Amino acid sequence: MSIDRRIFFKTAALIGVSMAIGKSFGASSPEKGESGEVEFHGVLYDSTRCVGCQECERVCAAAHDLPEPTETVETGKVRKTSDHQRSVINSYKTSKGDAFVKNQCMHCNEPACTAACLTEAMYKTKEGPVIWRGEKCMGCRYCMVSCPFDTPKFEFMSTNPKIVKCDMCYDRIQKGQLPACVEGCPGEALKFGTRRELIEEARKRIAASPDAYQHEIFGENVAGGTGFLYLSAAPFKEIGLNTQLQNSSYPALTKGFLYSVPSVDVLLPPLLLGIYAATKNNHIKEEEEND
Amino acid sequence: MTSQTFPIAKDNDGKSIGKFILSELKPRGKWLTPFNIISIPTILLGIGLIVIRYVQGLGAITNLTQEVPWGLWIGFDVVTGVAFAGGAYVVTFMVYILNMRRYHSIVRVTVLNGFLAYAFYTGALLLDLGRPWNVVNPMIGNNFGTSSVLFLVAWHFVLYMLAELIEFSPAIAEWLGSRKAKRILSGMTIGAVIFGITLSTLHQSGLGALYLMCKDKIHPLWYSEFIPVLFFVSSIFAGLSMVIFEGSISHKVFADQIEDKEKSHKTQNTVVHSLSKVCAVTMFAYFCLQFLVFIHAKRWDLINSPMGYWFLTEMIGFVFIPMVMFFYSYRTSNIKMIRIAAILTMIGVVMNRLNVTVIGFRWDAAVHYVPSWMEIVVTLAVIFTEIWIFRWVINRMPVLRESPAWAKEKH
Ligand code: SF4
Ligand code: SF4
């Protein structure tokens, strides 16, 4: 009997721990949309204004101590961001003529990468940029596995590898400056602001010249909404944007599992204990039969 | 009760504990066995490759890409290895919770196997980390990523290893000849078992849940919101098949450990026989689940493609057929057929885990990830080292062997 009581207390303690863990889940679940007083910021990229000069690529490299990009844009050739390039410009042949498209981290409202990260090294700041914090990261690359846009890149050839991706120049934003690419763009294809303002602005542009644009903003809904927003003359599919992605958030896909964890942690041990108590004398019978 | 008063060395002819362990560390038996001839060079080569990995970075010995950042080391070593280690929680459940004492003879060896599998596969995980010096962050609370499935899996891993160590510890106490430690540790078994089963349920399914966010990256025949459930159910028969397979080998290789050969042979066969029923039933459940998921997701049009045929091979050839074999051989008590079914099942589980994590992951990419020979050698080196430790323990501790007489007294 005394043994049973001990087990009971152990189980009770376990339940307590699980409950505590369970609570913290609820607390840390990412909130959709703008949080608190600070609104999410983002960048509106207007492909119709982009001239493909690659100035954004150069200033980005300079701002983050990366090698100056030398490759030029070629229509039809898709370049990707890499462990030494956070932002690239590509050119596509579309039904509306050749179009340039910038590519970088989308700064999702509910990022898959931050939900994946077990150390909160990937972090959605309250201002909106999604940043990477090297002092926390253990290099597991789960953020890369999870990001639907394949954004984070890893320095495979380094002994102190970093995760490389656009951080919307978070350090500059904090100082009140614009992201380097936005500041450097000669054609005003990039505009920085709160996500709400940018969506309004984008709608205005579409309304003002409805023939020049697709009547949609890429990023308004995709993956639960993103900080980078795209306007384009040609259908998004034709300019290399992934239109297959779901509109709801990616971390939501794991919610069901995550919420069930505390309940399993809490409910299973007493259940097992119950079965144990119920069957405890079975083996005596079994032994008797054998004798 | 301080540690000095532990009468540890008492039953070892008065030798001091240090000397005793030192003498036990020495290898025993023949050196030039076929296994040693293959495994020693592989392990040495593996160590060399691991050195290169730390000097030059992961890219130097792996074929990982920016699109496929997890390869063989995660997909096979961790995800598949842990599924095979599932035998431990299933067997402890049957023995301690359901009190099915007839499986008692395989508990220790299964738990040992499970514990070593976890120790080595999480070890392999460390090799894969780019910045391993930060691995303690999620443990010491330097930012808990509680919304991360990987965070949960990591914690459940670590705690589970602790639970398994406790479950196995009475054998260590018997080896060291410490009655008192043995009594205390045995008293903790049932708690550890309950704890361990709970943790296993969650991390077996958690390994599947890791891939829930890869909706657009995994081939639709293998991706579904039910991956966690499928992973959990399949870990039951994966683990038991491993128990059957490993048992048939251990009983030959470690024959010298077994005193009453005839009796042991008989118990082993009854155990294998009744395990085949558990395998058959869980595989049936798994097969039905897979079928429901298939119908539910309306995947008929995907079947007529190379990936579709591959899916059918997995489901029919390595789930359905071994399931029928398990059923049939249970009814006819055909031990040999059970062993063959177990091997087929294991191949099926390897296929399934790799299809989710490696083969079906970015199946549509222009360049496919294929593991480098160096990744394979490191994987083999990890497995061989595990077998070495396994053998070392079996040869010394009462795992297959009967416990010493003093340990069997009822208390
Ligand atoms: S695009 Fe990828 S890396 Fe960028 S915030 Fe979204 S999930 Fe994270
Ligand atoms: S690689 Fe770093 S940033 Fe990415 S999930 Fe792992 S710990 Fe987080």
Side-chain angles (χ1 to χ4, degrees):
Chain A
M1 200 57 227
S2 75
I3 289 188
D4 283 4
R5 232 182 15 242
R6 248 202 342 257
I7 297 164
F8 174 78
F9 284 126
K10 272 184 212 155
T11 318
L14 237 161
I15 294 175
V17 172
S18 327
M19 297 275 237
I21 296 175
K23 274 214 196 88
S24 65
F25 277 132
S28 72
S29 72
E31 290 293 310
K32 195 183 156 78
E34 286 77 50
S35 65
E37 314 92 65
V38 193
E39 277 185 65
F40 280 172
H41 285 65
V43 174
L44 172 64
Y45 170 75
D46 190 334
S47 163
T48 65
R49 296 185 181 187
C50 178
V51 293
C53 67
Q54 290 179 282
E55 187 59 17
C56 53
E57 285 185 17
R58 281 185 288 272
V59 292
C60 175
H64 303 105
D65 289 326
L66 293 166
E68 177 158 346
T70 49
E71 259 186 313
T72 50
V73 181
E74 246 177 78
T75 307
K77 187 173 152 234
V78 181
R79 297 183 302 147
K80 288 185 174 156
T81 56
S82 67
D83 59 350
H84 53 265
Q85 197 168 5
R86 295 183 178 194
S87 165
V88 293
I89 295 281
N90 283 318
S91 166
Y92 292 86
K93 225 179 220 24
T94 73
S95 50
K96 307 267 164 139
D98 286 3
F100 293 105
V101 186
K102 187 176 178 301
N103 213 309
Q104 73 298 304
C105 171
M106 297 293 286
H107 298 279
C108 309
N109 285 351
E110 291 177 64
C113 59
T114 62
C117 184
L118 70 171
T119 60
E120 294 191 320
M122 276 293 178
Y123 183 68
K124 177 82 175 167
T125 59
K126 60 183 189 309
E127 294 89 349
V130 175
I131 59 168
W132 175 77
R133 303 182 289 183
E135 76 281 6
K136 298 182 190 299
C137 171
M138 53 190 242
C140 66
R141 308 189 294 289
Y142 186 33
C143 49
M144 304 170 72
V145 171
S146 302
C147 168
F149 299 97
D150 273 339
T151 299
K153 299 285 141 84
F154 182 79
E155 295 177 328
F156 278 107
M157 293 314 277
S158 159
T159 44
N160 183 8
K162 292 192 282 293
I163 295 282
V164 179
K165 75 169 201 63
C166 161
D167 62 355
M168 218 193 272
C169 293
Y170 186 57
D171 44 346
R172 292 172 57 102
I173 292 176
Q174 277 176 310
K175 282 186 250 157
Q177 295 169 306
L178 290 172
C181 55
V182 176
E183 195 181 81
C185 179
E188 298 200 342
L190 292 162
K191 186 178 160 66
F192 177 80
T194 69
R195 197 171 174 268
R196 193 171 43 81
E197 287 165 5
L198 293 176
I199 289 177
E200 267 168 35
E201 166 75 21
R203 291 226 176 90
K204 252 185 241 157
R205 289 189 201 173
I206 295 173
S209 28
D211 296 337
Y213 290 108
Q214 293 293 313
H215 294 188
E216 258 182 294
I217 310 165
F218 187 82
E220 188 176 5
N221 300 315
V222 72
T226 61
F228 256 80
L229 301 161
Y230 284 72
L231 282 177
S232 159
F236 297 127
K237 206 165 58 208
E238 294 178 18
I239 58 169
L241 297 175
N242 191 344
T243 48
Q244 305 285 322
L245 301 180
Q246 62 175 20
N247 276 342
S248 48
S249 98
Y250 277 78
L253 293 169
T254 57
K255 282 270 163 62
F257 177 78
L258 287 174
Y259 285 156
S260 70
V261 168
S263 13
V264 174
D265 270 340
V266 170
L267 297 177
L268 198 53
L271 180 72
L272 294 173
L273 199 58
I275 304 176
Y276 164 73
T279 60
K280 206 165 52 181
N281 295 324
N282 281 6
H283 69 278
I284 299 176
K285 264 185 248 145
E286 228 175 87
E287 267 162 29
E288 275 167 5
E289 277 164 29
N290 287 348
D291 283 343
Chain B
M1 188 189 73
T2 59
S3 56
Q4 280 113 335
T5 59
F6 261 72
I8 274 182
K10 248 190 203 144
D11 294 275
N12 286 308
D13 323 323
K15 264 192 273 178
S16 84
I17 181 83
K19 266 203 202 119
F20 170 66
I21 291 189
L22 218 62
S23 75
E24 290 281 89
L25 276 176
K26 284 205 201 91
R28 285 179 190 172
K30 275 207 311 249
W31 263 98
L32 288 176
T33 57
F35 173 72
N36 287 1
I37 290 172
I38 298 172
S39 66
I40 293 174
T42 314
I43 293 175
L44 292 178
L45 186 57
I47 293 173
L49 292 171
I50 291 169
V51 171
I52 298 179
R53 176 251 170 278
Y54 281 108
V55 176
Q56 296 182 9
L58 269 168
I61 70 163
T62 68
N63 276 351
L64 298 173
T65 65
Q66 302 291 0
E67 280 78 33
V68 185
W70 281 359
L72 189 73
W73 290 353
I74 301 288
F76 185 76
D77 301 19
V78 179
V79 178
T80 313
V82 165
F84 284 137
Y89 82 90
V90 182
V91 170
T92 52
F93 175 71
M94 295 194 295
V95 170
Y96 294 108
I97 304 297
L98 297 181
N99 268 299
M100 296 155 98
R101 288 292 154 128
R102 81 191 101 127
Y103 298 109
H104 202 271
S105 62
I106 58 166
V107 163
R108 272 195 183 168
V109 66
T110 310
V111 170
L112 173 66
N113 227 327
F115 174 73
L116 290 179
Y118 277 91
F120 277 85
Y121 303 148
T122 42
L125 198 82
L126 289 182
L127 294 180
D128 201 65
L129 291 183
R131 308 163 66 85
W133 51 91
N134 279 340
V135 71
V136 290
N137 278 350
M139 298 292 151
I140 57 173
N142 180 4
N143 286 87
F144 278 167
T146 42
S147 61
S148 166
V149 179
L150 190 58
F151 173 81
L152 281 168
V153 170
W155 262 98
H156 281 79
F157 260 20
V158 172
L159 292 177
Y160 183 58
M161 289 206 316
L162 194 70
E164 284 203 307
L165 190 60
I166 295 175
E167 286 167 26
F168 185 70
S169 59
I172 302 178
E174 285 172 19
W175 168 61
L176 293 173
S178 168
R179 286 156 204 249
K180 193 159 174 195
K182 146 104 193 189
R183 205 168 44 242
I184 296 170
L185 292 168
S186 299
M188 290 161 75
T189 299
I190 183 75
V193 165
I194 290 180
F195 197 47
I197 296 168
T198 310
L199 294 166
S200 289
T201 316
L202 288 168
H203 72 233
Q204 292 288 359
S205 49
L207 282 176
L210 281 179
Y211 288 88
L212 283 174
M213 280 195 277
C214 308
K215 198 176 169 204
D216 317 286
K217 302 191 180 183
I218 295 175
H219 191 280
L221 281 171
W222 285 277
Y223 180 89
S224 78
E225 58 196 295
F226 301 104
I227 304 183
V229 182
L230 294 171
F231 267 43
F232 171 67
V233 177
S234 54
S235 77
I236 298 175
F237 56 80
L240 292 182
S241 298
M242 184 69 180
V243 169
I244 295 172
F245 175 73
E246 174 269 326
S248 65
I249 292 183
S250 303
H251 271 251
K252 283 203 195 82
V253 176
F254 300 109
D256 57 325
Q257 291 285 320
I258 297 152
E259 279 159 37
D260 188 346
K261 297 236 159 51
E262 197 145 320
K263 180 166 161 246
S264 144
H265 193 69
K266 244 176 75 196
T267 24
Q268 176 71 9
N269 280 354
T270 27
V271 165
V272 167
H273 183 217
S274 41
L275 284 182
S276 72
K277 188 167 143 201
V278 185
C279 282
V281 172
T282 44
M283 283 176 94
F284 180 69
Y286 176 75
F287 191 77
C288 292
L289 268 172
Q290 282 280 14
F291 192 70
L292 287 179
V293 170
F294 183 86
I295 300 287
H296 177 76
K298 305 197 183 65
R299 292 169 176 170
W300 286 108
D301 43 337
L302 293 170
I303 279 296
N304 198 7
S305 69
M307 284 308 256
Y309 304 146
W310 181 234
F311 180 76
L312 285 182
T313 316
E314 180 193 322
M315 285 305 142
I316 309 284
F318 296 93
V319 180
F320 188 76
I321 291 181
M323 175 189 88
V324 173
M325 283 169 75
F326 274 131
F327 267 121
Y328 181 75
S329 47
Y330 175 72
R331 305 210 44 180
T332 55
S333 305
N334 186 340
I335 299 291
K336 203 173 207 163
M337 194 193 253
I338 295 178
R339 298 220 163 105
I340 296 171
I343 292 172
L344 288 182
T345 309
M346 286 169 65
I347 297 174
V349 171
V350 173
M351 275 168 82
N352 176 261
R353 296 306 195 258
L354 290 184
N355 282 337
V356 172
T357 59
V358 177
I359 300 169
F361 193 88
R362 286 263 165 235
W363 83 103
D364 52 351
V367 193
H368 280 279
Y369 159 81
V370 178
S372 70
W373 67 266
M374 294 176 279
E375 287 175 80
I376 297 174
V377 168
V378 171
T379 298
L380 288 175
V382 169
I383 296 173
F384 284 149
T385 319
E386 191 210 329
I387 297 176
W388 270 76
I389 306 278
F390 182 71
R391 186 172 65 175
W392 184 88
V393 174
I394 297 262
N395 278 332
R396 281 157 187 82
M397 301 185 192
V399 178
L400 292 174
R401 187 181 349 134
E402 298 274 318
S403 299
W406 61 263
K408 283 202 228 152
E409 302 154 9
K410 290 238 152 87
H411 33 249

